[in-house]
Amino acid sequence: MPETYSPDVCIVGAGPGGATAALFLAKAGVDCLLVEKARFPRDKICGDALSGKVVQLLKKLDPSILEDLAREPTQIGSSGVVFVAPNLKALRVPFRSSTRQLDGPAGFLCRRMDFDHFLVKQTRKYPGIQLLEGTEITKYSRRDDHWILESADGTRTITTRLLIIADGAHSRFARHHGSILQEDKHYVAGLRAYYRNVSGMDRENFIELHFLKEFLPGYFWIFPLSDHMANVGVGMRSDQVSSRKVHLKNKMLEMIGTLPSLKERFKGASLEGDIRGYGLPLGSRKRKISGEGYMLIGDAGSLIDPFTGEGIGNAMASAMAAAETAVSCLGRNDLGSAALASYDRLFYGRLWAELNLSYKMQRLGGHFPGLINLVVNKAAANRTLGETISCMFEDLDMRDRLKKPSFYFKLMFGGN
Ligand SMILES: Cc1cc2nc3c(=O)[nH]c(=O)nc-3n(C[C@H](O)[C@H](O)[C@H](O)COP(=O)(O)OP(=O)(O)OC[C@H]3O[C@@H](n4cnc5c(N)ncnc54)[C@H](O)[C@@H]3O)c2cc1C
């Protein structure tokens, strides 16, 4: 006989989205069952960059979690980004916002093997969160006002009133019950490699985004990690990969081996492990992310930033919105699709302006690589413009200027 569970709330997937949803629910006094197919620590193919949004959400959850993360020996702090334009000119930009207090690094770099394990260890502190590892859910059925879940090996059955789906980019539930299908125009193919001893890394651990014309509208990255390691990878929109017939792995290795600036830096470096790929479902289109008795969060709901590829912060932001909705809908004892649609409104109300702007910037950079050259060239020579770009990372109104033709007109003809 299979083991049976009957929680009010069941979360499928214990990545950053699922673990954060469980933690926000626990904070509100709501118990849940958190089901995960892997056993931690487990790897996740990623750039391993934790943005300012992750920092802010951890602070909201509990400032002591952020303090614990800052003490982890596996992470390093990062406070800026180096942009390399298609013409290979570089611009070094510290994250400096008009609003942020300078009380720690703006972001972190930490392998997902360690960060996801760190978050899951936080969930173990709450008796209201029951974690079931090694349990892959492969079957969902709806009976009356409940969902019934079955594990792949048939040993576990879960009956629940509210499902929070956080099983990532290849979500079975999102495809079959949430009708979210992969659209190549709104999807990125990503590759990740770990290299030891890449030379010329930034002295303050700035991350590097190289907008090489071969990968536009995407980029090649080098992100520093602890122990002289670097996360190196590339992301490119899937429709472009197909239409331009790019073999992403061969192209990445070719750039590392032939582009003089990269070749020199990788001369003494060694690849550790395989180069591995995974998808990034982008939030460049608004989709329905809730229905009868369920909410989709993180990659399962296609919520990755279309310009930066940042998905961890958005997964955590959607987890917070889903937990808030769950608390309110459970309180009213209404888990129907109309009630849960307030999750869509809450999440997109907070993040749609940002996602939409990022989509516009992604398309602008893809169609007009010359604009990236222009901005980087001018900003490298003009301190005020450099500082404006620095604020754009966290200030949406400032970022909005980047999509306006008047911004480039002024750049070309003298002002900024
Ligand atoms: C190459 C690449 C580079 C990236 N770089 C960055 C970056 O630097 N910074 C950033 O912010 N984002 C980055 N992203 C995006 C980021 O990795 C994702 O957005 C993020 O992991 C989403 O979190 P999640 O919790 O929604 O899903 P995931 O992290 O994918 O977690 C899903 C969890 O569900 C579990 N699961 C899956 N199926 C089942 C099942 N059937 N039953 C039970 N459990 C299941 C999985 O084992 C996993 O633990 C990158 C992505 C890629 C592919």
Side-chain angles (χ1 to χ4, degrees), residues 270-315:
S270 53
L271 175 67
E272 297 211 344
D274 299 329
I275 300 178
R276 299 180 60 196
Y278 209 74
L280 292 89
L282 305 179
S284 38
R285 203 162 78 68
K286 234 188 219 182
R287 297 172 173 92
K288 183 138 182 48
I289 47 176
S290 65
E292 286 294 323
Y294 74 84
M295 291 179 273
L296 307 174
I297 67 172
D299 285 7
S302 289
L303 302 176
I304 294 182
D305 187 285
F307 182 66
T308 62
E310 179 200 353
I312 302 169
N314 287 358

Side-chain angles (χ1 to χ4, degrees), residues 12-18 35-38 40 42 44-51 112 116 135-138 140 166-169 172 190-192 221 223 234 278-280 297-300 304 309-313 315:
V12 180
V35 188
E36 166 59 50
K37 75 172 175 191
F40 289 89
R42 63 100 182 90
K44 156 75 176 83
I45 297 160
C46 186
D48 300 330
L50 309 174
S51 67
R112 293 289 298 276
D116 292 15
T135 307
E136 180 179 8
I137 302 299
T138 49
Y140 298 87
D167 54 354
R172 182 186 296 264
L191 287 184
R192 179 213 67 189
W221 70 79
F223 294 169
V234 64
Y278 209 74
L280 292 89
I297 67 172
D299 285 7
I304 294 182
E310 179 200 353
I312 302 169

Side-chain angles (χ1 to χ4, degrees), residues 86 216-217 307 360-372:
L216 285 174
F307 182 66
K360 288 187 172 131
M361 286 172 64
Q362 179 223 86
R363 284 193 303 178
L364 209 58
H367 290 309
F368 308 107
L371 288 185
I372 309 178

Side-chain angles (χ1 to χ4, degrees), residues 34-94:
L34 179 58
V35 188
E36 166 59 50
K37 75 172 175 191
R39 288 186 187 280
F40 289 89
R42 63 100 182 90
D43 189 21
K44 156 75 176 83
I45 297 160
C46 186
D48 300 330
L50 309 174
S51 67
K53 197 183 283 172
V54 175
V55 171
Q56 293 309 322
L57 282 158
L58 288 177
K59 238 187 228 170
K60 270 202 181 108
L61 197 49
D62 178 354
S64 74
I65 298 185
L66 190 59
E67 288 159 20
D68 288 350
L69 177 64
R71 277 193 290 270
E72 287 285 312
T74 49
Q75 61 72 35
I76 57 172
S78 175
S79 47
V81 55
V82 179
F83 281 111
V84 181
N87 64 3
L88 304 183
K89 251 224 153 86
L91 174 67
R92 196 170 176 276
V93 182

